[in-house]
Amino acid sequence: MQLDQLYQEIILDHYKRPKGRGLREPFAADVHHVNPTCGDEITLRVALDGETISDISYDGQGCSISQASASVLFELLNGRKVDDALAVHAAFVELMGGKGQVEPDEEVLGDAVAFAGVAKYPARVKCALLSWMALKDAVAQAVALEKEEV
Amino acid sequence: MTALTIPAGMPQYDDKPRFDVERVRADFPILGREVNGHPLVYLDSGNTSQKPRQVIDAVARYYAEHNANVARSVHTLGTESTEAYEGARAKVAAFIGAPSVDEVVFTKNATESLNLVAHAFGPHARDERFRLGPGDEIVISEMEHHSNIVPWQLLCERTGATLRWFGLTETGRLDESNLEELVNERTKIVSIVHMSNVLGTVNATSRITARVREVGALLMLDCSQSVPHLPMDVVDYDVDFIAFTGHKMLAPTGIGVLWGRGELLNAMPPFLGGGSMIETVKMGGSTYAPAPARFEAGTPPIAQAVGLGAAIDYLTGIGMDAIAWHDKELTAYALDALDTVPGLRIYGPRVPVGRGATISFTLDGIHPHDVGQVLDSLGVQVRVGHHCAKPICDRFSVPALTRASFYLYTTTDEVDALVRGLDQVRKVFA
Ligand SMILES: Cc1ncc(COP(=O)(O)O)c(C=O)c1O
């Protein structure tokens, strides 16, 4: 097995020096997701400013893949328009579900292309997706709240 | 300081029974394969064991030569199948010292065996010993596998009974300091693990048994990890029920065992309803067969039982005393070897006494998933995560652990491969 395909420098970098980590205020939605098979956890908050995700803050514990993935997510999606963020989200989910057959688009996915190798390890795909699923959940809740308030 | 030298070969242990591990390994076809370009180093036997040729062949031969349904045919194949299935039951009974073969109930795994016993309790149980309601108590421990926690939690939810548990000491032993208070006149059953699948601890049960007898409760042992590794005699242990699972003792998946005192089994209500478990069925109601048939509704796992019988023959051929001693020597070796890895912390007893051949640990700052992944790239198969025993992780405030578990085919070379692999893990995440 090519271990360095899985543990690419970018991933190890994000793991050792995570971006945007720590829970911050204010936030519109706060979610807690766990991976029941391994116990990895993440708490993730999003704040919205109109159509824009003005902050993504998170804290959690887990393996290098799950933690690096949250850091990459922050870097890619923080400050983006909700629709753009969801488009990137969809591309990432597609990459992760592709069993290593999907050619990632670096324009869209940035550092997240480093996770292409993870897609070949079914046991680890859930680790990579943990924070992304939490984000989707949090954004949906925040958007719903905003609609209620209008 | 004077150095204490133990002579080579430790002659003080010369009288211990031994076996030739290399010859045993030759019986396990899978041990010849490679994983990711490296020889397989299988250190996950606590999860499931590998199977020797003798077991694989016995299952194949059963299907090739005897296959038919059991206990319901007059024809020759049906008779042969029934003999094979009941023969396996007799082997299990002898293996655990059961006074009667009728006390051996085949289930699909230890989980079903535990659920079966939990299911016998309730507010309307005919036998007082199984009658359970608000005010009654069930005692488990903090080192249980989820399958010896959740069935009792569900039972307490159904009945209003209270679930209580033994805590753990810092070294991963049962904390019995409050035994007298914990097990009391309100206690209906104490169900604890014999050997922990995470900490490796083998629980000394005699004090608990004595207390259970004093208060008139029942005692169940989850022997999923112990029966494969240690000699077991249910009479010596003076228990009421034990549960274990075939796939951890060289047998196929899909076959488990519940042993219970005959008198208790026959006081229990059926578990699943269906064919083979009845005495007579009328539209107005049915009566049930005595144990073990009462608890074996439907077509049972016949070939799997035959496989379990073959596994028991294999284990008995080597000798459970010899297997237990092999485990002990290997564990002593592994505890010392793992101690040399910087940043490694062992959870559970750190001496090879009162523990089995299962060692869980953390590596400073490196998540078990990452440990397991790098080890896998070197062919070393370990388990990572919470091992279906999340309360243990909570007790020691760790999200997850890495576990190496050994069996009769495990060698010191494989322990060395683990230690070398851990060095590699530390390099990747340095
Ligand atoms: C201590 C213990 N109890 C129960 C079980 C459950 O065994 P099974 O999954 O075969 O029912 C296991 C297996 O992991 C175990 O280690």
Side-chain angles (χ1 to χ4, degrees), chain A residues 1 3 6-7 12 15-16 35-41 61-65 121 124 127, chain B residues 36-37 365-367 369-371 373-374 376-377 384-386 390 399-400 424 428-430:
Chain A
M1 185 196 70
L3 202 59
L6 178 68
Y7 292 122
L12 291 177
Y15 175 50
K16 288 171 193 164
N35 181 346
T37 49
C38 59
D40 287 359
E41 307 187 17
Q61 55 181 24
C63 63
S64 57
I65 304 292
Y121 299 91
R124 304 305 291 280
C127 307
Chain B
N36 295 318
I366 309 174
H367 193 278
H369 270 185
D370 296 319
V371 175
Q373 193 83 55
V374 177
D376 177 62
S377 75
V384 299
H386 54 56
K390 219 162 169 305
Q424 189 62 32
V428 174
F429 290 94

Side-chain angles (χ1 to χ4, degrees), chain A residues 3-22:
Chain A
L3 202 59
D4 40 359
Q5 268 187 29
L6 178 68
Y7 292 122
Q8 300 213 4
E9 275 310 316
I10 301 177
I11 292 183
L12 291 177
D13 245 26
H14 274 279
Y15 175 50
K16 288 171 193 164
R17 285 172 287 279
K19 312 274 188 333
R21 193 182 167 96

